[in-house]
Amino acid sequence: MSEWCICSVFALQKVSIIIVIFACVVCKYIIYLSEVQLNETLAHLKTESETLKSKLEEERAKLHDVELHQVAEKVEGLGQFVMKTRRTLKGHGNKVLCMDWCKDKRRIVSSSQDGKVIVWDAFTTNKEHAVTMPCTWVMACAYAPSGCAVACGGLDNKCSVYPLSLDKNENLAAKKKSVAMHTNYLSACSFTNSDMQILTSSGDGTCALWDVESGQLLQSFHGHAADVLCLDLAPSETGNTFVSGGCDKKANVWDMRSGQCIQSFETHESDINSVRYYPSGDAFASGSDDATCRLYDLRADREVAIYSKESIIFGVSSVDFSLSGRLLFGGYNDYTINVWDVLKGTRVSILFGHENRVSTLRVSPDGTAFCTGSWDHTLRIWA
Amino acid sequence: MTINTLAKGGWHREQMTCFQKMEKVIVAMQDPDMGMKMRNQRLLITVIPHAMTGHDIITWLIQKYSICEEEALHLGGMLLKYGYIYPLKEPRSIVLHPDETPYRFQTPYFWTSTRWPASELDYAIYLAKKNIRKQGELMEYEKERYSVLHKRINHTWDFVVMQAREQLRASKQRRKADRIVLECQEQAYWLINRPPPGVGNVLDMGLERPNNFSLRVTLNSDYYKREIETCRRALGRNRVKSSICLEGFVKYSEQYQNHDPIMQGCLPSNPWISDDTAHWTMNAEMVPTPTRLRVECWSFSFMELLKDVMGRKEFMTYLEKEFSGENLCFWQACEDIRHGESSKIAEKVEEVYKNFLAPGAARWVNIDSKTMDKTLEGIKRPHRFVMDDAQMHIYFLMKKDSYPRYLKSDLYKNMLAKAIIPQETKKSVFPFMRRQRHSSPSPAQAAAQATEEDGRGKGAGPAGTNSDV
């Protein structure tokens, strides 16, 4: 590789032949020194960061005086658990990747690998709307709180909002509004308390808050070291935080106003595919490729429970709580759903039915059922 | 000799962990002390050693992991799907039968994880061998693939045929039993790595996740500085003892247990199970008489009361009686600013100031002077969160003062007393007769009608094109 060097050019002005010149020894040495300095500073910063993290773990351990299952000893155990598939929604031509419930407790939106986004009345199993996205792998979809629009995105690196029109002749794609723009795939999206703002997470390692009307970026969240795969908004009174999980095995809690990372947890052994808040907002659960689900308490600032079993080998793709927070449902890559007793830490039930990976799982807004989407092209409602 | 391409670094990380775990199970199954009892299996006239039955596999799994038969069948089925165990009698039927059907462990040489990814060249050699051995009698799909490969890697075809011949010659020198075993193992490997059409590809991993993160986020000094900042802040956090936090979960779950339809069922019935939407009708946003559970819920927390449209309305009625309705109005207006359109923020803030904060305002709210000063200062440059402090102040005022009094008031007590406890719907006499599932109006339709009614009310606009759904 040849590098033009200012001092060499001056020296060769007298020579009329254009030749390839290497940077002179002095310049090369200067470049070398500054790189070494940068690396040293970087290494120094990295060590400092790691030291602080260990210190943080020590601090977190100090107030841990009891385990969750010990506290839960006095709680009555759960009896026989019977949940069955009550509806099967067929219509997608390829893997179902994501779904979300409408606030009316019966409608859902689902997205799939072939680019189709479908809105169903899950109760009657009728399809009400269908949109074909210009990209494949629509990994994220969300229903607007008003029930009048859906948001979706995936390999197109964008999140688009489609108002739901009732005119059967109208092409929904015509009114599409592009809201979010990332530099890599969109992994998850969620409306905040209204139709006006959307929170997104992306393979580019960031999360972002967008204004739907103008498409303006309101806030961006940096702190993950790799793809962010999932997010969930906190149900708290002040409604200002959300949690995200990523390929860097970290689960971060963010302040939506300032963009700062408030809390960070790094106990999983592999990618975190799903995060979901406990109904009270004081904790959240995560599901990971390491085949475990974990519960993190935000006030105690630590992991407080691990939900795992030796016979469960495959990763968790998606988790959600029942309305009271007593049960945690996990959709797994081995086609099953495991139901966990959140307090006692035991596995209450295992549900079979899907013929391929369960990729997404959400409990309905009133807790009467939960819906799963799978790579077997179907969605199922369980109750 | 075959050429093995991609290094392990090209692996899907998630799959590597799964394969390793499955391999642990397989190794445990073959443990001389704690593993399964193997036996010889007769295949036509040859005896194949070290085989086991489906029943053996399931029994061992049940015992080892304390799981039920269905789960053991599923787990064993996975081991089969990923090629760690293969069926002896019907190699194409990769299903675990809980009976005397014989199975065998795949040799580690042919584990999917050992030879990943299965190379085209290896597959070509395998098909060539089969072609020679069976004198052209390949299966239809194998014939197609063979010709496709022939076209694609035509330049190395001599090598392919030479290898095939060499391997066939080497295998003829083995004992018949060994030869059959090797053929079975190789066939099992290819049934997994190149499944016949119509059979799902279990090795389909979906979108690949990066192994090298530096392509995503540069771990530069900015990144580490942010990490350090976050850690420092986290170290300074106030933490609560685990015993207190965890007790909170127990209490919460207990309090909400009756409200959790999956745990406790719901009245009159769960619509998804009975096909009867009465439960939803009774709990609609605005009903003449709410259900008891719903009214009880309002007493659990202030947030529950405000979340429920009806609860909020009741609370407003109560506040108005106490001449403090402006607090809730203010709070709602602030919510509207926080979650509304960015373009309308300035005008909304102006409205709020005029109605609630300006001296002598019609619905003046009582905020402490420090917060008021800060808010008035912020209003000069209105932004989404400018009302946050004031809103928080009023929220906690209502929560600490008005809310507890509301719960003790006659208004609430009467509501609770007349609230309905729905009757449980008895199961239909003819359970096989399914109720008709009625559709409901889409929220989008309700909104469209509302806008239309608004339009009509204002007397403007063209004749609406109301679509009949």
Side-chain angles (χ1 to χ4, degrees):
Chain A
M1 194 177 93
S2 60
E3 298 152 49
W4 284 98
C5 168
I6 296 181
C7 60
S8 311
V9 167
F10 276 119
L12 283 161
Q13 261 191 344
K14 300 208 169 125
V15 182
S16 56
I17 309 161
I18 300 169
I19 55 174
V20 167
I21 300 172
F22 292 93
C24 78
V25 184
V26 175
C27 291
K28 265 196 165 166
Y29 188 59
I30 293 174
I31 294 169
Y32 166 73
L33 274 183
S34 59
E35 268 174 22
V36 164
Q37 230 177 20
L38 193 66
N39 281 341
E40 269 175 1
T41 327
L42 206 63
H44 184 74
L45 284 172
K46 193 171 174 196
T47 329
E48 195 185 340
S49 166
E50 271 154 26
T51 323
L52 279 174
K53 277 191 194 168
S54 324
K55 231 176 130 192
L56 183 60
E57 285 314 307
E58 272 172 39
E59 282 300 310
R60 282 173 165 170
K62 281 185 187 162
L63 289 176
H64 190 58
D65 51 347
V66 72
E67 295 294 329
L68 181 54
H69 64 85
Q70 288 170 306
V71 171
E73 257 158 34
K74 59 179 185 247
V75 179
E76 217 181 289
L78 294 173
Q80 250 291 319
F81 212 82
V82 178
M83 281 192 90
K84 295 193 206 152
T85 302
R86 304 290 173 175
R87 304 283 191 279
T88 307
L89 304 176
K90 297 189 183 157
H92 276 293
N94 214 317
K95 308 180 173 69
V96 177
L97 301 175
C98 186
M99 61 83 42
D100 190 19
W101 287 90
C102 174
K103 286 228 159 67
D104 77 349
K105 309 157 194 174
R106 51 188 284 173
R107 282 174 171 76
I108 63 172
V109 61
S110 60
S111 64
S112 105
Q113 181 192 345
D114 62 1
K116 286 244 165 38
V117 175
I118 301 179
V119 174
W120 318 69
D121 176 351
F123 187 70
T124 58
T125 72
N126 291 339
K127 299 184 203 34
E128 294 193 340
H129 306 271
V131 176
T132 308
M133 295 274 288
C135 68
T136 55
W137 287 91
V138 187
M139 290 174 265
C141 63
Y143 224 119
S146 67
C148 298
V150 291
C152 48
L155 282 186
D156 57 352
N157 299 359
K158 297 196 218 139
C159 184
S160 312
V161 176
Y162 292 84
L164 295 176
S165 160
L166 288 151
D167 184 348
K168 291 283 187 247
N169 296 326
E170 179 158 13
N171 181 12
L172 285 185
K175 290 241 173 85
K176 157 178 158 175
K177 189 184 254 170
S178 245
V179 175
M181 281 276 263
H182 279 279
T183 53
N184 215 308
Y185 66 87
L186 190 83
S187 53
C189 65
S190 172
F191 284 89
T192 60
N193 285 27
S194 76
D195 285 17
M196 297 298 135
Q197 285 158 52
I198 290 188
L199 194 57
T200 58
S201 66
S202 163
D204 65 11
T206 70
C207 299
L209 183 65
W210 309 83
D211 177 63
V212 174
E213 204 80 356
S214 60
Q216 198 196 7
L217 172 67
L218 297 172
Q219 185 62 261
S220 68
F221 306 90
H222 297 263
H224 276 287
D227 308 27
V228 187
L229 298 174
C230 51
L231 58 84
D232 191 35
L233 275 137
S236 74
E237 296 181 297
T238 45
N240 267 333
T241 59
F242 73 95
V243 62
S244 67
C247 287
D248 56 358
K249 311 175 199 172
K250 286 201 283 194
N252 289 345
V253 181
W254 308 87
D255 179 325
M256 282 207 278
R257 280 190 57 169
S258 61
Q260 275 182 346
C261 174
I262 315 175
Q263 279 169 292
S264 186
F265 303 93
E266 203 171 340
T267 61
H268 269 293
E269 292 162 15
S270 190
D271 303 5
I272 298 179
N273 296 314
S274 175
V275 284
R276 194 74 64 209
Y277 270 94
Y278 184 80
S280 71
D282 293 325
F284 69 90
S286 59
S288 157
D289 278 343
D290 66 7
T292 67
C293 300
R294 293 176 197 234
L295 187 68
Y296 297 90
D297 186 310
L298 294 169
R299 292 165 306 172
D301 191 31
R302 55 173 292 118
E303 171 194 289
V304 292
I306 305 181
Y307 306 99
S308 68
K309 213 168 170 340
E310 243 192 317
S311 59
I312 299 177
I313 289 175
F314 289 80
V316 190
S317 63
S318 193
V319 295
D320 204 355
F321 286 98
S322 73
L323 197 126
S324 64
R326 181 69 193 270
L327 301 170
L328 180 68
F329 300 101
Y332 287 71
N333 291 340
D334 67 356
Y335 323 170
T336 64
I337 295 144
N338 284 288
V339 186
W340 300 91
D341 179 333
V342 172
L343 300 178
K344 291 194 184 277
T346 53
R347 203 258 314 263
V348 173
S349 181
I350 178 168
L351 303 172
F352 301 95
H354 277 297
E355 291 163 14
N356 207 322
R357 277 197 204 195
V358 177
S359 53
T360 177
L361 186 156
R362 297 293 295 262
V363 172
S364 77
D366 63 351
T368 48
F370 70 87
C371 179
T372 52
S374 161
W375 280 18
D376 67 6
H377 309 189
T378 68
L379 291 122
R380 283 172 184 243
I381 309 280
W382 305 77
Chain B
M1 176 196 69
T2 53
I3 301 165
N4 215 356
T5 49
L6 266 180
K8 288 276 166 66
W11 254 107
H12 285 257
R13 279 170 299 111
E14 55 169 300
Q15 293 309 314
M16 198 52 178
T17 347
C18 291
F19 280 119
Q20 283 169 348
K21 287 186 192 161
M22 281 193 277
E23 282 152 24
K24 278 210 183 89
V25 178
I26 293 293
V27 166
M29 278 172 121
Q30 292 173 82
D31 182 85
D33 301 314
M34 301 299 287
M36 294 187 324
K37 293 278 171 290
M38 316 264 244
R39 52 190 102 159
N40 293 341
Q41 190 67 37
R42 213 162 253 286
L43 198 67
L44 296 175
I45 50 168
T46 342
V47 173
I48 311 285
H50 306 308
M52 61 268 187
T53 65
H55 178 79
D56 289 339
I57 296 173
I58 290 172
T59 316
W60 187 87
L61 286 171
I62 290 177
Q63 218 228 355
K64 164 95 173 159
Y65 295 111
S66 318
I67 52 182
C68 65
E69 183 170 343
E70 202 180 3
E71 194 176 352
L73 193 61
H74 180 83
L75 181 55
M78 279 298 175
L79 293 172
L80 237 91
K81 277 200 174 79
Y82 280 90
Y84 288 100
I85 297 177
Y86 62 92
L88 275 178
K89 287 227 175 95
E90 283 168 38
R92 284 171 207 288
S93 163
I94 308 179
V95 177
L96 183 61
H97 298 284
D99 52 23
E100 301 303 302
T101 316
Y103 296 89
R104 215 157 176 276
F105 288 111
Q106 179 64 284
T107 171
Y109 178 77
F110 276 126
W111 281 354
T112 307
S113 54
T114 318
R115 312 166 66 66
W116 178 267
S119 77
E120 271 195 334
L121 197 62
D122 285 343
Y123 192 42
I125 294 170
Y126 167 69
L127 287 178
K129 273 200 296 188
K130 211 172 176 189
N131 203 20
I132 295 171
R133 234 183 37 232
K134 298 217 165 166
Q135 289 148 334
E137 283 302 303
L138 290 177
M139 306 211 75
E140 257 330 296
Y141 76 91
E142 285 176 327
K143 281 194 187 134
E144 276 172 41
R145 290 181 187 176
Y146 191 54
S147 61
V148 166
L149 278 170
H150 185 89
K151 280 196 203 102
R152 195 151 60 212
I153 56 174
N154 203 353
H155 50 283
T156 52
W157 206 253
D158 288 340
F159 176 73
V160 168
V161 174
M162 182 192 83
Q163 273 299 299
R165 289 217 174 98
E166 184 56 38
Q167 286 182 18
L168 280 174
R169 193 191 58 79
S171 77
K172 279 206 176 75
Q173 295 178 345
R174 291 203 185 89
R175 273 176 44 223
K176 184 161 184 215
D178 289 344
R179 192 178 350 130
I180 294 181
V181 163
L182 195 60
E183 271 167 24
C184 279
Q185 288 171 340
E186 199 179 15
Q187 179 182 49
Y189 174 78
W190 288 112
L191 278 171
I192 306 284
N193 283 275
R194 290 284 189 272
V199 176
N201 182 7
V202 78
L203 297 173
D204 178 4
M205 310 298 185
L207 269 191
E208 192 173 328
R209 295 215 186 130
N211 278 326
N212 181 8
F213 293 157
S214 63
L215 296 170
R216 292 287 197 254
V217 177
T218 343
L219 298 184
N220 53 13
S221 54
D222 276 338
Y223 171 80
Y224 285 114
K225 280 187 189 146
R226 244 195 324 254
E227 286 267 289
I228 291 167
E229 186 52 44
T230 310
C231 263
R232 288 226 174 90
R233 259 183 285 124
L235 276 166
R237 251 188 107 82
N238 277 334
R239 279 176 202 87
V240 181
K241 263 199 305 191
S242 285
S243 44
I244 299 176
C245 302
L246 301 178
E247 195 59 47
F249 295 137
V250 174
K251 287 212 175 71
Y252 189 93
S253 295
E254 223 173 335
Q255 191 180 43
Y256 281 86
Q257 184 160 321
N258 288 341
H259 298 249
D260 188 338
I262 293 177
M263 293 273 295
Q264 209 84 343
C266 61
L267 300 170
S269 64
N270 188 322
W272 300 102
I273 301 177
S274 65
D275 287 350
D276 177 19
T277 55
H279 174 76
W280 287 332
T281 322
M282 285 184 193
N283 285 292
E285 257 194 10
M286 299 305 286
V287 279
T289 328
T291 60
R292 183 159 184 120
L293 278 179
R294 183 176 179 179
V295 181
E296 256 175 34
C297 208
W298 299 346
S299 68
F300 289 172
S301 74
F302 188 38
M303 210 174 63
E304 286 288 355
L305 179 66
L306 289 184
K307 255 184 0 188
D308 186 340
V309 172
M310 208 175 162
R312 207 190 280 199
K313 198 166 142 273
E314 284 294 303
F315 189 55
M316 180 66 97
T317 314
Y318 174 75
L319 286 179
E320 265 157 16
K321 283 207 177 120
E322 300 227 312
F323 305 105
S324 52
E326 68 275 358
N327 285 339
L328 189 55
C329 289
F330 175 68
W331 183 83
Q332 278 176 178
C334 291
E335 279 290 282
D336 196 31
I337 294 175
R338 241 166 27 122
H339 299 294
E341 290 112 310
S342 286
S343 52
K344 302 219 173 110
I345 290 179
E347 71 178 75
K348 284 181 182 171
V349 169
E350 187 57 43
E351 273 295 303
V352 166
Y353 172 72
K354 250 184 16 202
N355 292 332
F356 299 99
L357 298 174
R363 317 200 70 183
W364 193 79
V365 285
N366 195 359
I367 308 176
D368 68 286
S369 51
K370 189 162 152 234
T371 315
M372 180 66 95
D373 288 340
K374 190 167 169 216
T375 310
L376 292 178
E377 188 58 41
I379 288 180
K380 294 182 184 157
R381 260 161 316 194
H383 60 89
R384 187 173 295 277
F385 303 110
V386 72
M387 293 293 174
D388 268 17
D389 289 339
Q391 183 185 13
M392 193 86 74
H393 180 93
I394 294 294
Y395 178 85
F396 282 112
L397 189 68
M398 291 191 286
K399 178 176 172 180
K400 297 255 158 66
D401 183 35
S402 319
Y403 173 63
R405 282 189 288 114
Y406 166 68
L407 292 179
K408 297 199 189 96
S409 72
D410 286 335
L411 189 65
Y412 178 73
K413 291 204 174 124
N414 289 340
M415 182 63 96
L416 194 61
K418 66 173 183 159
I420 334 172
I421 303 177
Q423 278 274 41
E424 184 178 359
T425 312
K426 292 271 185 331
K427 277 215 159 76
S428 152
V429 182
F430 303 102
F432 52 85
M433 270 175 65
R434 222 182 58 185
R435 276 205 176 82
Q436 243 232 315
R437 294 170 182 170
H438 296 285
S439 52
S440 71
S442 161
Q445 182 176 36
Q449 275 176 349
T451 5
E452 223 208 63
E453 274 160 22
D454 274 344
R456 271 199 229 117
K458 289 179 183 145
T465 43
N466 195 8
S467 50
D468 271 85
V469 180

